Amino acid sequence: MIEWVVALVVAAVGIRWAFRPELAAALSRDPAARGVWEIALLYPGFHAVVAHRLAHRLWRWKVPWLPRLLSQLARAVTGVEIHPGATIGRGLFIDHGMGVVIGETAVLGDDVTLFQGVTLGGTGKEKGKRHPTLGRNVVVGAGAKVLGNLSIGDDVRIGANAVVIRDVPAGAVVVGVPGRIVKHEGRVFPGINLDHTTLPDPLTQALEKLQHEIDLIEDQLKRHRDDPRQT
C-alpha cells in the first residue's frame, strides 16, 4: 500500500515538472483555475495533452496500434481527440475541451489556445500534409474550424464559429464563414488576447457603409426635387 502511495506521489510530481508550461498556461488563461493541482487533477484539456505527449512519442517510435489506442481512450475520457501524429508545442491550453479535434498532420506552435468545439481538420483524401499549421500565441474561438494545409501566423485570433480555409498572416483577426480577415495592422503584439467573440463583423460594416452612401444620395435627390436649380 505504501509503495502505491509513493508511486502516485512520484508520478504526480513528475507530471507537474514535465508539464510546467501547460499548467502555467491554464493557470494564467483560465480565471476559474484555483491552482496547479486542480488543473492537473480535474482539467480534461490538460489530461488530453498529457495523453497525447505519450501517444506521440510512441507514434514517432513507430509502435503499432498502441498510439491510436491511447488517443481513443483519451478521447473517451476527455472529449478531446488528438491524433498521435499531431505535433504540438509547449503551453497548449484547451479550455473545457469537449469536441476539440486535432488531425494527424496538424502542427501547433507554443502557447496556442483552443476553445471547445474547435476542429483542426483536413480536406479531401490527399496524402501528406493535409492539416493546418498554427504559429505561436494563436487563439481559436469556440466552434471554429481550420481546414486544410493552411498556415496560420503568430498572434492570430480566430473568432468563434469561423471557418478558415485560407492562409492567415501574423497578427490578423479572422471571423465569419468563410473566414475573412477583418484586422491586420502589419504588427505583432506580445502576449495572448483571449477575446474571440467581441470581434468586428465585416458584412455589417459593409452594409452600414452602403446605407450611409444611400442616405447621402437620397438627401441630394430630395434637395434637388425641392429646388431643381440646385446642382
Side-chain angles (χ1 to χ4, degrees):
M1 182 65 180
I2 296 177
E3 290 81 1
W4 280 104
V5 173
V6 171
L8 287 173
V9 171
V10 171
V13 173
I15 288 175
R16 180 172 178 176
W17 179 85
F19 292 89
R20 293 191 311 275
E22 288 73 27
L23 292 168
L27 194 61
S28 64
R29 297 176 217 167
D30 184 1
R34 292 177 175 83
V36 293
W37 288 113
E38 179 185 33
I39 296 166
L41 295 173
L42 302 176
Y43 275 46
F46 176 74
H47 300 158
V49 174
V50 172
H52 170 73
R53 195 70 58 79
L54 176 58
H56 183 64
R57 181 63 58 86
L58 295 174
W59 179 270
R60 293 182 61 184
W61 290 344
K62 300 186 184 303
V63 176
W65 294 97
L66 187 55
R68 291 303 302 270
L69 176 61
L70 286 174
S71 70
Q72 291 303 302
L73 290 175
R75 175 180 180 270
V77 173
T78 67
V80 178
E81 181 173 348
I82 308 177
H83 193 285
T87 302
I88 295 177
R90 291 288 189 176
L92 172 63
F93 174 49
I94 303 176
D95 193 12
H96 295 289
M98 183 61 68
V100 169
V101 177
I102 302 176
E104 176 186 2
T105 61
V107 178
L108 281 66
D110 294 340
D111 298 316
V112 169
T113 302
L114 307 178
F115 288 85
Q116 65 271 18
V118 166
T119 298
L120 306 180
T123 57
K125 297 182 180 180
E126 70 276 9
K127 299 291 185 180
K129 185 73 169 72
R130 60 189 184 280
H131 297 96
T133 297
L134 277 59
R136 295 171 53 89
N137 299 336
V138 173
V139 176
V140 187
K145 318 299 177 188
V146 185
L147 305 176
N149 182 17
L150 309 181
S151 177
I152 309 298
D154 296 345
D155 301 284
V156 167
R157 278 189 295 157
I158 298 175
N161 291 318
V163 178
V164 183
I165 55 176
R166 295 183 179 86
D167 292 348
V168 179
V173 175
V174 182
V175 299
V177 182
R180 296 178 295 274
I181 296 174
V182 295
K183 178 183 178 183
H184 181 222
E185 302 180 13
R187 296 178 293 168
V188 175
F189 298 93
I192 301 173
N193 188 338
L194 297 179
D195 186 358
H196 60 112
T197 56
T198 57
L199 303 176
D201 183 349
L203 181 58
T204 299
Q205 291 175 338
L207 290 174
E208 289 176 349
K209 183 177 180 181
L210 180 60
Q211 184 61 51
H212 178 68
E213 297 293 335
I214 291 173
D215 291 342
L216 289 177
I217 294 172
E218 288 180 344
D219 182 64
Q220 292 177 356
L221 289 173
K222 183 178 181 301
R223 286 188 294 170
H224 179 74
R225 287 195 298 268
D226 293 341
D227 186 357
R229 292 173 299 177
Q230 293 185 10
T231 59

